[in-house]
CSV table of all heavy atoms in Angstrom, one decimal:
chain,number,residue,atom,x,y,z
A,4,LEU,N,-11.6,-20.5,18.5
A,4,LEU,CA,-11.8,-20.6,17.1
A,4,LEU,C,-11.0,-21.8,16.6
A,4,LEU,O,-9.9,-22.0,17.0
A,4,LEU,CB,-11.2,-19.3,16.4
A,4,LEU,CG,-11.9,-18.0,16.7
A,4,LEU,CD1,-11.1,-16.8,16.0
A,4,LEU,CD2,-13.3,-18.0,16.1
A,5,VAL,N,-11.6,-22.5,15.6
A,5,VAL,CA,-11.0,-23.7,15.1
A,5,VAL,C,-11.0,-23.6,13.6
A,5,VAL,O,-12.1,-23.5,13.0
A,5,VAL,CB,-11.7,-25.0,15.6
A,5,VAL,CG1,-11.0,-26.2,15.0
A,5,VAL,CG2,-11.7,-25.1,17.1
A,6,GLU,N,-9.8,-23.6,13.0
A,6,GLU,CA,-9.7,-23.6,11.5
A,6,GLU,C,-9.7,-25.1,11.0
A,6,GLU,O,-9.2,-26.0,11.7
A,6,GLU,CB,-8.4,-22.9,11.1
A,6,GLU,CG,-8.3,-21.5,11.5
A,6,GLU,CD,-7.5,-21.3,12.7
A,6,GLU,OE1,-7.4,-22.3,13.5
A,6,GLU,OE2,-6.9,-20.2,13.0
A,7,SER,N,-10.1,-25.2,9.8
A,7,SER,CA,-10.1,-26.5,9.1
A,7,SER,C,-10.1,-26.3,7.6
A,7,SER,O,-10.3,-25.2,7.2
A,7,SER,CB,-11.2,-27.4,9.5
A,7,SER,OG,-12.5,-26.8,9.1
A,8,GLY,N,-9.8,-27.4,6.9
A,8,GLY,CA,-9.8,-27.3,5.4
A,8,GLY,C,-8.5,-27.2,4.7
A,8,GLY,O,-8.4,-27.2,3.5
A,9,GLY,N,-7.4,-27.1,5.5
A,9,GLY,CA,-6.1,-27.0,4.9
A,9,GLY,C,-5.7,-28.3,4.3
A,9,GLY,O,-6.3,-29.3,4.5
A,10,GLY,N,-4.5,-28.3,3.6
A,10,GLY,CA,-4.0,-29.5,3.0
A,10,GLY,C,-3.0,-29.3,1.9
A,10,GLY,O,-2.5,-28.1,1.8
A,11,LEU,N,-2.7,-30.3,1.2
A,11,LEU,CA,-1.8,-30.2,0.1
A,11,LEU,C,-2.6,-30.1,-1.2
A,11,LEU,O,-3.5,-30.9,-1.5
A,11,LEU,CB,-0.9,-31.5,0.0
A,11,LEU,CG,0.0,-31.6,-1.2
A,11,LEU,CD1,1.1,-30.5,-1.2
A,11,LEU,CD2,0.7,-33.0,-1.1
A,12,VAL,N,-2.2,-29.1,-2.1
A,12,VAL,CA,-2.9,-28.9,-3.3
A,12,VAL,C,-1.9,-28.5,-4.4
A,12,VAL,O,-0.9,-27.9,-4.1
A,12,VAL,CB,-4.0,-27.9,-3.2
A,12,VAL,CG1,-3.4,-26.5,-2.8
A,12,VAL,CG2,-4.9,-27.8,-4.4
A,13,GLN,N,-2.2,-28.9,-5.6
A,13,GLN,CA,-1.3,-28.5,-6.7
A,13,GLN,C,-1.5,-27.1,-7.1
A,13,GLN,O,-2.6,-26.5,-6.9
A,13,GLN,CB,-1.5,-29.4,-7.9
A,13,GLN,CG,-1.1,-30.9,-7.7
A,13,GLN,CD,-1.3,-31.7,-9.0
A,13,GLN,OE1,-1.9,-31.3,-9.9
A,13,GLN,NE2,-0.6,-32.9,-9.0
A,14,PRO,N,-0.5,-26.5,-7.7
A,14,PRO,CA,-0.7,-25.1,-8.2
A,14,PRO,C,-1.9,-25.0,-9.1
A,14,PRO,O,-2.1,-25.9,-10.0
A,14,PRO,CB,0.6,-24.8,-8.9
A,14,PRO,CG,1.7,-25.7,-8.2
A,14,PRO,CD,0.9,-26.9,-7.8
A,15,GLY,N,-2.6,-24.0,-9.0
A,15,GLY,CA,-3.9,-23.8,-9.8
A,15,GLY,C,-5.1,-24.4,-9.1
A,15,GLY,O,-6.2,-24.2,-9.6
A,16,GLY,N,-4.9,-25.2,-8.1
A,16,GLY,CA,-6.0,-25.8,-7.4
A,16,GLY,C,-6.7,-24.9,-6.4
A,16,GLY,O,-6.4,-23.7,-6.3
A,17,SER,N,-7.7,-25.5,-5.7
A,17,SER,CA,-8.5,-24.7,-4.8
A,17,SER,C,-8.7,-25.4,-3.5
A,17,SER,O,-8.5,-26.6,-3.4
A,17,SER,CB,-9.9,-24.5,-5.4
A,17,SER,OG,-9.9,-23.8,-6.6
A,18,LEU,N,-8.9,-24.6,-2.5
A,18,LEU,CA,-9.2,-25.1,-1.1
A,18,LEU,C,-10.2,-24.1,-0.5
A,18,LEU,O,-10.2,-22.9,-0.8
A,18,LEU,CB,-7.9,-25.2,-0.2
A,18,LEU,CG,-6.9,-26.3,-0.4
A,18,LEU,CD1,-5.7,-26.1,0.5
A,18,LEU,CD2,-7.6,-27.7,-0.1
A,19,ARG,N,-11.0,-24.7,0.4
A,19,ARG,CA,-11.9,-23.8,1.2
A,19,ARG,C,-11.6,-24.0,2.7
A,19,ARG,O,-11.7,-25.1,3.2
A,19,ARG,CB,-13.3,-24.0,1.0
A,19,ARG,CG,-14.2,-23.0,1.6
A,19,ARG,CD,-15.7,-23.2,1.3
A,19,ARG,NE,-16.3,-24.2,2.1
A,19,ARG,CZ,-17.6,-24.3,2.4
A,19,ARG,NH1,-18.4,-23.3,1.9
A,19,ARG,NH2,-18.1,-25.2,3.2
A,20,LEU,N,-11.1,-22.9,3.3
A,20,LEU,CA,-10.9,-23.0,4.8
A,20,LEU,C,-12.1,-22.5,5.5
A,20,LEU,O,-12.9,-21.7,5.1
A,20,LEU,CB,-9.7,-22.0,5.1
A,20,LEU,CG,-8.4,-22.2,4.4
A,20,LEU,CD1,-7.3,-21.3,4.9
A,20,LEU,CD2,-7.9,-23.7,4.5
A,21,SER,N,-12.3,-23.1,6.7
A,21,SER,CA,-13.4,-22.8,7.6
A,21,SER,C,-12.8,-22.3,8.9
A,21,SER,O,-11.8,-22.8,9.4
A,21,SER,CB,-14.3,-24.0,7.8
A,21,SER,OG,-14.9,-24.4,6.6
A,22,CYS,N,-13.5,-21.4,9.5
A,22,CYS,CA,-13.2,-20.9,10.9
A,22,CYS,C,-14.4,-21.0,11.7
A,22,CYS,O,-15.4,-20.2,11.5
A,22,CYS,CB,-12.6,-19.5,10.8
A,22,CYS,SG,-12.4,-18.7,12.4
A,23,ALA,N,-14.5,-21.9,12.6
A,23,ALA,CA,-15.7,-22.1,13.4
A,23,ALA,C,-15.4,-21.7,14.9
A,23,ALA,O,-14.4,-21.9,15.4
A,23,ALA,CB,-16.1,-23.6,13.4
A,24,ALA,N,-16.4,-21.0,15.4
A,24,ALA,CA,-16.3,-20.5,16.8
A,24,ALA,C,-17.1,-21.4,17.8
A,24,ALA,O,-18.1,-22.0,17.4
A,24,ALA,CB,-16.8,-19.1,16.9
A,25,SER,N,-16.5,-21.6,18.9
A,25,SER,CA,-17.3,-22.2,20.0
A,25,SER,C,-17.2,-21.4,21.3
A,25,SER,O,-16.1,-20.8,21.5
A,25,SER,CB,-16.7,-23.6,20.2
A,25,SER,OG,-15.4,-23.6,20.7
A,26,GLY,N,-18.3,-21.3,22.0
A,26,GLY,CA,-18.3,-20.6,23.2
A,26,GLY,C,-18.7,-19.1,23.1
A,26,GLY,O,-18.8,-18.4,24.1
A,27,PHE,N,-18.8,-18.6,21.8
A,27,PHE,CA,-19.2,-17.2,21.6
A,27,PHE,C,-19.8,-17.1,20.2
A,27,PHE,O,-19.5,-18.0,19.4
A,27,PHE,CB,-18.0,-16.2,21.9
A,27,PHE,CG,-16.9,-16.3,20.9
A,27,PHE,CD1,-16.8,-15.4,19.9
A,27,PHE,CD2,-16.0,-17.4,20.9
A,27,PHE,CE1,-15.8,-15.4,19.0
A,27,PHE,CE2,-15.0,-17.4,20.0
A,27,PHE,CZ,-14.8,-16.5,19.0
A,28,ARG,N,-20.5,-16.0,20.0
A,28,ARG,CA,-21.1,-15.8,18.7
A,28,ARG,C,-20.2,-14.9,17.9
A,28,ARG,O,-19.8,-13.8,18.2
A,28,ARG,CB,-22.5,-15.1,18.9
A,28,ARG,CG,-23.5,-15.9,19.7
A,28,ARG,CD,-23.9,-17.2,18.9
A,28,ARG,NE,-24.3,-16.9,17.6
A,28,ARG,CZ,-24.6,-17.9,16.7
A,28,ARG,NH1,-24.4,-19.2,17.0
A,28,ARG,NH2,-25.0,-17.6,15.4
A,29,LEU,N,-20.0,-15.4,16.6
A,29,LEU,CA,-19.1,-14.7,15.7
A,29,LEU,C,-19.8,-13.4,15.1
A,29,LEU,O,-19.1,-12.6,14.6
A,29,LEU,CB,-18.7,-15.6,14.6
A,29,LEU,CG,-17.5,-16.5,14.8
A,29,LEU,CD1,-17.2,-17.3,13.6
A,29,LEU,CD2,-16.3,-15.8,15.3
A,30,ASN,N,-21.1,-13.3,15.2
A,30,ASN,CA,-21.8,-12.2,14.6
A,30,ASN,C,-21.5,-10.9,15.2
A,30,ASN,O,-21.8,-9.8,14.7
A,30,ASN,CB,-23.3,-12.5,14.5
A,30,ASN,CG,-23.9,-12.7,15.8
A,30,ASN,OD1,-23.5,-13.7,16.5
A,30,ASN,ND2,-24.8,-11.9,16.2
A,31,TYR,N,-20.8,-10.9,16.4
A,31,TYR,CA,-20.4,-9.7,17.0
A,31,TYR,C,-19.0,-9.2,16.6
A,31,TYR,O,-18.6,-8.1,17.0
A,31,TYR,CB,-20.4,-9.8,18.6
A,31,TYR,CG,-21.8,-10.1,19.1
A,31,TYR,CD1,-22.1,-11.3,19.7
A,31,TYR,CD2,-22.8,-9.1,19.1
A,31,TYR,CE1,-23.4,-11.5,20.3
A,31,TYR,CE2,-24.0,-9.3,19.6
A,31,TYR,CZ,-24.3,-10.5,20.2
A,31,TYR,OH,-25.6,-10.8,20.7
A,32,TYR,N,-18.3,-10.0,15.8
A,32,TYR,CA,-16.9,-9.8,15.5
A,32,TYR,C,-16.7,-9.7,14.0
A,32,TYR,O,-17.3,-10.4,13.2
A,32,TYR,CB,-16.1,-10.9,16.1
A,32,TYR,CG,-16.1,-11.0,17.6
A,32,TYR,CD1,-17.0,-11.7,18.2
A,32,TYR,CD2,-15.1,-10.3,18.3
A,32,TYR,CE1,-17.0,-11.8,19.6
A,32,TYR,CE2,-15.1,-10.4,19.7
A,32,TYR,CZ,-16.0,-11.1,20.3
A,32,TYR,OH,-16.0,-11.1,21.7
A,33,ALA,N,-15.7,-8.8,13.7
A,33,ALA,CA,-15.1,-8.9,12.4
A,33,ALA,C,-14.1,-10.1,12.4
A,33,ALA,O,-13.5,-10.3,13.5
A,33,ALA,CB,-14.4,-7.6,12.0
A,34,ILE,N,-13.9,-10.8,11.3
A,34,ILE,CA,-13.0,-11.9,11.3
A,34,ILE,C,-12.0,-11.7,10.2
A,34,ILE,O,-12.3,-11.4,9.1
A,34,ILE,CB,-13.8,-13.2,11.0
A,34,ILE,CG1,-14.9,-13.4,12.1
A,34,ILE,CG2,-12.8,-14.4,11.0
A,34,ILE,CD1,-14.4,-13.6,13.5
A,35,GLY,N,-10.8,-11.9,10.6
A,35,GLY,CA,-9.7,-11.8,9.6
A,35,GLY,C,-9.0,-13.2,9.4
A,35,GLY,O,-9.0,-14.0,10.3
A,36,TRP,N,-8.5,-13.4,8.2
A,36,TRP,CA,-7.7,-14.5,7.9
A,36,TRP,C,-6.2,-14.0,7.8
A,36,TRP,O,-6.0,-12.9,7.1
A,36,TRP,CB,-8.1,-15.2,6.6
A,36,TRP,CG,-9.3,-16.1,6.8
A,36,TRP,CD1,-10.6,-15.8,6.5
A,36,TRP,CD2,-9.3,-17.4,7.3
A,36,TRP,NE1,-11.4,-16.9,6.7
A,36,TRP,CE2,-10.6,-17.9,7.2
A,36,TRP,CE3,-8.3,-18.3,7.7
A,36,TRP,CZ2,-11.0,-19.2,7.7
A,36,TRP,CZ3,-8.6,-19.6,8.2
A,36,TRP,CH2,-10.0,-20.0,8.1
A,37,PHE,N,-5.3,-14.7,8.4
A,37,PHE,CA,-3.9,-14.3,8.3
A,37,PHE,C,-3.1,-15.5,7.9
A,37,PHE,O,-3.6,-16.7,8.0
A,37,PHE,CB,-3.5,-13.9,9.7
A,37,PHE,CG,-4.3,-12.7,10.3
A,37,PHE,CD1,-5.5,-12.9,10.9
A,37,PHE,CD2,-3.8,-11.4,10.2
A,37,PHE,CE1,-6.2,-11.9,11.4
A,37,PHE,CE2,-4.5,-10.4,10.7
A,37,PHE,CZ,-5.7,-10.6,11.3
A,38,ARG,N,-1.9,-15.3,7.5
A,38,ARG,CA,-1.0,-16.5,7.2
A,38,ARG,C,0.4,-16.2,7.6
A,38,ARG,O,0.8,-15.0,7.6
A,38,ARG,CB,-1.1,-16.8,5.7
A,38,ARG,CG,-0.6,-15.8,4.7
A,38,ARG,CD,-0.9,-16.2,3.3
A,38,ARG,NE,-0.4,-15.3,2.3
A,38,ARG,CZ,-0.6,-15.3,1.0
A,38,ARG,NH1,-1.4,-16.3,0.5
A,38,ARG,NH2,-0.1,-14.4,0.2
A,39,GLN,N,1.1,-17.2,7.8
A,39,GLN,CA,2.5,-17.1,8.2
A,39,GLN,C,3.3,-18.2,7.5
A,39,GLN,O,3.1,-19.4,7.8
A,39,GLN,CB,2.7,-17.2,9.7
A,39,GLN,CG,4.1,-16.9,10.1
A,39,GLN,CD,4.3,-16.6,11.6
A,39,GLN,OE1,3.4,-16.9,12.4
A,39,GLN,NE2,5.3,-16.0,12.0
A,40,ALA,N,4.2,-17.8,6.6
A,40,ALA,CA,5.1,-18.7,5.9
A,40,ALA,C,6.3,-18.9,6.7
A,40,ALA,O,6.7,-18.0,7.5
A,40,ALA,CB,5.4,-18.2,4.5
A,41,PRO,N,7.0,-20.0,6.5
A,41,PRO,CA,8.3,-20.3,7.3
A,41,PRO,C,9.3,-19.1,7.1
A,41,PRO,O,9.5,-18.7,6.0
A,41,PRO,CB,8.8,-21.5,6.7
A,41,PRO,CG,7.6,-22.3,6.2
A,41,PRO,CD,6.7,-21.2,5.7
A,42,GLY,N,9.8,-18.6,8.2
A,42,GLY,CA,10.8,-17.5,8.2
A,42,GLY,C,10.2,-16.2,7.9
A,42,GLY,O,11.0,-15.2,7.7
A,43,LYS,N,8.9,-16.0,7.8
A,43,LYS,CA,8.3,-14.8,7.5
A,43,LYS,C,7.3,-14.3,8.6
A,43,LYS,O,6.9,-15.2,9.4
A,43,LYS,CB,7.5,-14.8,6.2
A,43,LYS,CG,8.4,-15.0,5.0
A,43,LYS,CD,7.6,-14.9,3.7
A,43,LYS,CE,8.5,-15.0,2.5
A,43,LYS,NZ,7.7,-14.9,1.2
Side-chain angles (χ1 to χ4, degrees):
L4 294 172
V5 179
E6 301 96 335
S7 61
L11 173 64
V12 63
Q13 292 186 343
S17 297
L18 284 174
R19 188 176 80 155
L20 304 184
S21 298
C22 170
S25 63
F27 67 104
R28 296 297 306 175
L29 280 181
N30 55 301
Y31 294 114
Y32 293 89
I34 302 298
W36 282 99
F37 303 81
R38 66 187 181 186
Q39 187 166 19
K43 294 187 177 181

